[in-house]
Amino acid sequence: MQKGRFRSMGIGGGASCLALAMGLGFAAPALAQDAEQPAATNDVSTGEIVVTARRREERLVDVPIAVTSFSGEQLAKSGALDITDIAQSTPNVTLEVSRGTNSTLSAFIRGIGQQDPVSGFEQGVGIYLDDVYLNRPQAAVLDIYDVERIEVLRGPQGTLYGRNTIGGAVKYVTRELPDHFSLKLRGTYGTYDQADGVLTVSTPINDIVRVGGSVARLSRGGFGKNLTTGEDNYNKDIWAGRGTVEIGGKGQPVLIRISGDYTRDKSNSRGGHRLIPGMVSGTPVLDDVFDSQGGLDDPRQDVKAYGFAINASAELSDALTFRSISAWRKDKSASPIDFDALPAVDVDVPAYYNNEQVSQEFQLLYDNGSWFQGMVGAYYLGAKADTAFDVRLFTTVNGLTAYTQADVDTSTWAVFGDFTFDFTDQLSLAVGGRYTWDERKAEILRQNYLGGGSPVFGGLGVPFGAPSTDFSGKAVFKKFTPRASLSFKPTPDHNLYASFSQGFKGGGFDPRGVGVNAPAATPGRPTDAEVSDYLSFKPESVDSYEVGYKGNLFGGGLYVALAAFHMDYKDVQIPGSAGCTVNGLPTFCGVITNAGKVKIDGIEFEANARLGQNLAAAGDRLNLSGSLGYINARYKEYITQVPGQGPIDVADFRKVQNTPKWNGSATLAYTAPVGEGDVSFNTTVSYRGKTYQFEVPNPYIDQKGYALLDASLVYTAPGGRWSLGVHGKNILDKEYKTSGYTFIGADPVTGAILRNGSGGLIPTLGREGTLTAFYGNPRQVFVTGTLEF
C-alpha cells in the first residue's frame, strides 16, 4: 500500500453494469409502469395504508411482516426533522446520530446493528433511499423533506431486497412528480436560531415527461459552545438538493425515474462532554452538557454526499413486470474527533472517510391476480470504503501518533426470490430464498510517528520504526438464507401469520488491528497467514422466528398489530478499541470479537384507535395511537481473551448494546374543521428504558430510562394551499445520553471499573482519562409555514 494517500475511487466493472442498466432503461420507453409507487392514505386507524414492504402494493394489514409506516403528511404534522425522529414511535428500533458527528447514523433493530463507522464493518440495518441501499453510515442521517413515506421493516430482509440486511430495513421514499405545475415553499424558524427553508418545484414538459427538484437550506445555532475554539457546538449547517426526471407513468406502461441528490454538511464537529475532571490538568467538569473544550479543529468538519439513480419499471404483460434499479453514490467526510474533549492533545483523532458504491438490481414480478404472486431478482454491489485517521497521544509520549489507513473493497453478487401461494381466500404460504456471495478485500497500514501528526493530516511527525501493520488480503463469504411465512385470514380484515427467516452478514478484517501483535510461532515475527488470521473476523448470522396478528376492528375504528419473536444470533461481530502497547510504545489497538451466541425474545404492539368523531364540532375526530416494544436480549456465550488467563466466557457480564428492554409511545391526535380548513393538534409521549452504549456496562455513559414529550398544532387552509404550525420537541427539556467514549480501566471479565490505590480512575489511553458523552437534543420550539401554488 502506498502510504499517506487515498486511492482513486473509480469502480471499473461496476460502472459498466450501471451503464448497461442506463442503456436498457432508455432503450425501452414503451415498456413499464412502476407498480411500487405508493398510495399511502392518512387513515392509519383502518389499517388501509398501502405499503410496499414486499415489493408490491399491499394493505398494511395484509403484510405478514412487522412493518411500521409513516406518511409524509404524518411526518410533517408531527414536526419530524430527520430520520432519527421515527425511532421514538417504532418498537424496538434505535436510530441515533453517531458519536462526534452530525450526519453518521447508528442504527439497531431488535438488538441487531452496528455503531462503528470505520471501513470494514458493515451495517446491520439497511438504509434505502428510493430502493437504493446506502452501503456506509456516513451521511445516512437523512433530513426529512419532499418525502412520500418512510417504512421500517423489522427482522432479516433478504428475499425481497437487493442487499441482505440482517436486522431490518428503513425505506425512505421520495415523492413522485405530479402531472401539473407545482411550486411549494416551506419555511421554519425556531429556538437556537433554527432557520430552515425548502423550495420544491416541478412541471410537465409534455404528456410523458416531467421534471422537478427541491433545494433545502437547513441551519441552526449550537445547543452549546466549544469553550476552546469559541465555535457553536451541536449546530447545523446544511445545503441539500434533489432533482428528478420522470418519463412515462401516469397510466403509461413504462416509468423511468432518473434522480440525483446532493448534500453538503459544514456543521461544526460535535464535541463531547467530559464526565470526569482531567486526571493531569485537573480541568473540572463543565456545567452545561452541550459545552465542550476539545481543541482539535483540523481538518474542518465537512461532509459531501451525492448520488445518481435510475429506477425503471415496465409492464411486460398484465401479469408480468420488470424493474431495474441502477445507482452510483459517493461521499467524503473530514472529521476532527477529540475523544478526551480537552484543549491538550491527549486522545485526538482527525479522520477522513471516502466511500463510493455502484449497484444494480433487476427484478421480475409476476401477479396473475388470483392464486400466485412471485418475484425473482439479482443484485450487484461494488463498493470502496477508505478510512484514514491519526490517533494522537502527545501527552503520553511527545508527539506520538498512530496513523491508520484502511481501504476495504466489497463485491457482492446475489440472487433472490419470494413467492406467495394463495391456497384459498383465507390461507396463503410465502416462501423465498437468497444466495449471497460476498468478497472482501482489505489493505491496512498502521505506522507510528514521533514529533507530531502524520503527513496525511498536515503533521510534522517522522516515521518511527517499521509499520506495525502492513496487510493485504481478501476473503469470500457465501450463504443461502431462506424465508417462509404462513398466513391465515379468517376475514379480509384479520391476518394471523407465522414466519421463519435467516439473516447473514459477511465477515472481514479489523481495520484497526495491529499485525505485529498477532500470535506467532516465532514471537514478534508473525507470518502473513498468522496476521491474516489475527485480523479477520467471521460472518454473523441469525435465525428469526415470528408469530403475529394484524387486524381492523370495530368497522375500522381500531387497527392492531401484534408480533412476538425469537432470534438465535450467532458469531456477533463486536468491534472496538483499547489501550495497548506496540513495539514498546503505549498506543491503541483494534479489538474485534465474534461473540458466540445471543438469544433475543421480544414482543411488539402497535395500535391506532378512533376514540370519537363529531365530538365538539361536526367533522372533528379524536385518535389515539401507540406502540410498545419489549425485548429480552442476552448473551449466552461471549468468549474473550483475558491476559494471563486465556479464553474465558464472560457472557454473564455483557449486555446487548443500544437495545432497551422496554420502549413505547402514545400519541393523542385531534383534528377539527375550522372554516373551510382544518386544525390538528397532537401530542406524543415516548419512553426508552435503560440503554447500554457498549457490551461492557459503564455507569458513566449508560443511559437510564427516560421519557420525552412532543406536541404540535397545525392549521391547514382549504386544499392544502398553505399551512402554519407550531411544534415543540422534548418540551420538558429532558437531558439524556445517546452515545459516548470510554478509555478507563475495567476488569477484563466483569467489566467493573478499576481504581488505583488512591481511589482514582485508571486511564487506558492518554493520560487525562477519556469518559465523554453525547446528548440528545434539548427542548426545541419552532414554527413552520408552507405555501403551495
Side-chain angles (χ1 to χ4, degrees):
M1 180 186 299
Q2 187 174 6
K3 300 177 185 178
R5 297 184 62 185
F6 277 111
R7 303 171 293 167
S8 166
M9 295 293 287
I11 300 187
S16 64
C17 185
L18 177 63
L20 174 62
M22 293 170 59
L24 288 173
F26 285 111
L31 289 175
Q33 181 185 13
D34 187 351
E36 188 173 323
Q37 297 308 318
T41 74
N42 298 320
D43 195 7
V44 182
S45 65
T46 67
E48 294 295 325
I49 189 168
V50 173
V51 297
T52 56
R54 292 200 293 176
R55 298 288 196 167
R56 58 181 183 264
E57 290 187 346
E58 297 176 286
R59 296 185 310 158
L60 187 60
V61 73
D62 295 329
V63 181
I65 297 173
V67 56
T68 302
S69 182
F70 302 86
S71 69
E73 180 180 356
Q74 183 182 358
L75 293 166
K77 287 189 174 182
S78 68
L81 298 173
D82 63 50
I83 199 171
T84 64
D85 284 347
I86 65 174
Q88 290 181 233
S89 303
T90 311
N92 294 327
V93 171
T94 296
L95 300 172
E96 299 283 4
V97 178
S98 186
R99 306 160 292 179
T101 75
N102 299 284
S103 54
T104 298
L105 184 68
S106 293
F108 288 77
I109 294 180
R110 291 183 174 178
I112 298 177
Q114 181 60 262
Q115 69 163 318
D116 198 317
V118 177
S119 58
F121 302 123
E122 190 177 337
Q123 302 173 84
V125 174
I127 308 298
Y128 291 84
L129 175 59
D130 286 333
D131 285 329
V132 175
Y133 172 73
L134 306 185
N135 187 58
R136 302 299 301 150
Q138 286 83 21
V141 179
L142 303 175
D143 290 288
I144 292 175
Y145 69 96
D146 198 28
V147 63
E148 176 67 35
R149 72 186 184 280
I150 298 176
E151 297 176 9
V152 182
L153 287 68
R154 300 184 291 280
Q157 308 295 326
T159 64
L160 295 162
Y161 287 84
R163 188 67 170 126
N164 185 41
T165 53
I166 190 170
V170 179
K171 293 182 59 181
Y172 185 109
V173 182
T174 61
R175 294 186 188 277
E176 265 194 22
L177 301 180
D179 56 5
H180 55 82
F181 175 79
S182 174
L183 174 64
K184 298 179 182 179
L185 302 170
R186 189 188 85 190
T188 298
Y189 184 77
T191 52
Y192 300 100
D193 290 328
Q194 178 184 352
D196 300 340
V198 180
L199 169 65
T200 302
V201 61
S202 64
T203 186
I205 301 300
N206 53 40
D207 290 343
I208 64 170
V209 179
R210 300 167 298 283
V211 297
S214 295
V215 176
R217 170 59 175 156
L218 311 171
S219 66
R220 188 193 64 234
F223 299 142
K225 284 285 187 182
N226 184 312
L227 304 184
T228 299
T229 65
E231 295 181 337
D232 281 356
N233 201 25
Y234 289 79
N235 75 322
K236 192 170 187 176
D237 183 1
I238 294 175
W239 283 96
R242 296 192 185 112
T244 304
V245 177
E246 292 181 355
I247 304 170
K250 309 298 183 183
Q252 301 295 319
V254 169
L255 175 62
I256 301 173
R257 194 168 192 245
I258 306 166
S259 59
D261 64 273
Y262 177 85
T263 299
R264 181 75 179 273
D265 184 352
K266 298 190 72 175
S267 311
N268 300 330
S269 60
R270 285 205 305 163
H273 174 73
R274 282 188 65 86
L275 302 174
I276 58 174
M279 294 184 181
V280 175
S281 64
T283 304
V285 174
L286 300 175
D287 293 333
D288 190 334
V289 299
F290 295 105
D291 286 347
S292 186
Q293 297 183 84
L296 182 63
D297 61 357
D298 186 22
R300 300 290 300 174
Q301 178 93 0
D302 193 359
V303 180
K304 301 175 186 177
Y306 39 95
F308 173 80
I310 301 175
N311 292 54
S313 181
E315 293 181 359
L316 304 179
S317 69
D318 290 342
L320 198 61
T321 300
F322 171 78
R323 291 189 189 140
S324 170
I325 304 167
S326 311
W328 169 85
R329 297 198 63 81
K330 190 171 186 177
D331 64 81
K332 297 182 178 181
S333 300
S335 298
I337 308 172
D338 198 318
F339 280 60
D340 57 277
L342 287 172
V345 185
D346 193 51
V347 185
D348 287 8
V349 181
Y352 291 135
Y353 303 94
N354 287 356
N355 306 306
E356 187 176 12
Q357 68 177 82
V358 64
S359 60
Q360 176 60 55
E361 182 174 353
F362 295 117
Q363 304 168 15
L364 192 62
L365 300 95
Y366 180 81
D367 186 349
N368 64 7
S370 57
W371 64 275
F372 175 71
Q373 304 91 42
M375 180 192 75
V376 293
Y379 180 75
Y380 168 78
L381 171 71
K384 294 181 181 291
D386 293 356
T387 300
F389 59 91
D390 279 0
V391 176
R392 297 178 176 176
L393 308 168
F394 291 2
T395 63
T396 304
V397 175
N398 185 32
L400 174 61
T401 293
Y403 169 73
T404 298
Q405 181 174 326
D407 300 340
V408 180
D409 295 353
T410 298
S411 294
T412 292
W413 296 88
V415 291
F416 53 93
D418 196 87
F419 310 96
T420 301
F421 303 88
D422 297 325
F423 300 124
T424 69
D425 291 339
Q426 296 177 312
L427 186 64
S428 62
L429 173 68
V431 294
R434 175 191 186 89
Y435 180 79
T436 302
W437 183 91
D438 274 358
E439 181 184 70
R440 203 89 70 225
K441 295 180 180 179
E443 295 184 357
I444 303 170
L445 174 69
R446 170 74 175 265
Q447 175 67 60
N448 284 335
Y449 289 84
L450 288 178
S454 72
V456 174
F457 295 95
L460 301 177
V462 294
F464 178 77
S468 53
T469 303
D470 192 357
F471 170 78
S472 179
K474 72 174 183 178
V476 173
F477 310 97
K478 306 172 186 178
K479 182 74 171 178
F480 175 76
T481 50
R483 176 182 175 85
S485 67
L486 185 66
S487 296
F488 174 68
K489 298 173 64 177
T491 74
D493 286 329
H494 299 271
N495 186 1
L496 293 159
Y497 68 90
S499 68
F500 167 77
S501 59
Q502 284 187 340
F504 164 78
K505 187 170 75 172
F509 302 94
D510 185 355
R512 299 190 188 92
V514 179
V516 296
N517 286 0
T522 303
R525 300 180 61 184
T527 65
D528 290 345
E530 289 168 334
V531 171
S532 178
D533 184 64
Y534 179 64
L535 297 181
S536 65
F537 55 90
K538 297 185 294 184
E540 63 181 26
S541 62
V542 67
D543 293 340
S544 178
Y545 307 83
E546 181 174 330
V547 294
Y549 164 76
K550 297 182 179 183
N552 288 323
L553 307 169
F554 307 115
L558 174 65
Y559 169 73
V560 172
L562 179 65
F565 58 90
H566 169 82
M567 298 194 293
D568 295 316
Y569 190 18
K570 304 169 187 174
D571 294 322
V572 184
Q573 298 166 5
I574 303 173
S577 300
C580 64
T581 299
V582 177
N583 292 331
L585 291 175
T587 182
F588 90 103
C589 293
V591 180
I592 179 73
T593 302
N594 277 110
K597 299 175 183 177
V598 176
K599 297 287 186 182
I600 303 174
D601 299 295
I603 297 174
E604 295 165 348
F605 174 77
E606 296 178 282
N608 197 317
R610 185 171 62 239
L611 300 183
Q613 54 190 16
N614 302 321
L615 300 172
D620 70 358
R621 181 168 176 168
L622 182 65
N623 272 48
L624 176 65
S625 60
S627 67
L628 181 66
Y630 166 79
I631 190 165
N632 179 20
R634 66 274 186 202
Y635 283 99
K636 304 301 290 184
E637 182 181 271
Y638 191 124
I639 305 299
T640 189
Q641 292 287 333
V642 177
Q645 301 181 53
I648 292 180
D649 188 351
V650 296
D652 291 342
F653 304 101
R654 299 297 184 263
K655 302 292 184 180
V656 175
Q657 64 165 278
N658 283 286
T659 304
K661 179 167 286 191
W662 291 96
N663 75 306
S665 70
T667 298
L668 188 66
Y670 176 75
T671 303
V674 175
E676 296 184 357
D678 68 77
V679 64
S680 63
F681 170 77
N682 70 73
T683 181
T684 298
V685 176
S686 59
Y687 173 79
R688 294 181 67 82
K690 184 172 183 178
T691 302
Y692 298 94
Q693 308 295 355
F694 299 102
E695 283 68 28
V696 179
N698 185 305
Y700 287 90
I701 61 175
D702 293 337
Q703 175 61 48
K704 297 179 181 179
Y706 64 94
L708 301 178
L709 175 65
D710 299 341
S712 296
L713 179 65
V714 180
Y715 173 78
T716 304
R721 294 192 305 272
W722 62 272
S723 69
L724 186 66
V726 59
H727 307 276
K729 297 288 187 182
N730 190 8
I731 292 173
L732 300 182
D733 205 21
K734 178 64 180 177
E735 185 180 288
Y736 60 99
K737 305 181 188 81
T738 60
S739 55
Y741 293 116
T742 174
F743 288 101
I744 294 295
D747 185 281
V749 175
T750 67
I753 291 178
L754 301 176
R755 296 184 180 270
N756 57 29
S758 59
L761 300 174
I762 303 171
T764 58
L765 191 62
R767 298 178 63 206
E768 293 278 10
T770 293
L771 265 175
T772 55
F774 298 87
Y775 290 78
N777 292 7
R779 176 170 51 232
Q780 294 175 265
V781 179
F782 50 94
V783 176
T784 296
T786 66
L787 186 61
E788 183 173 349
F789 299 95

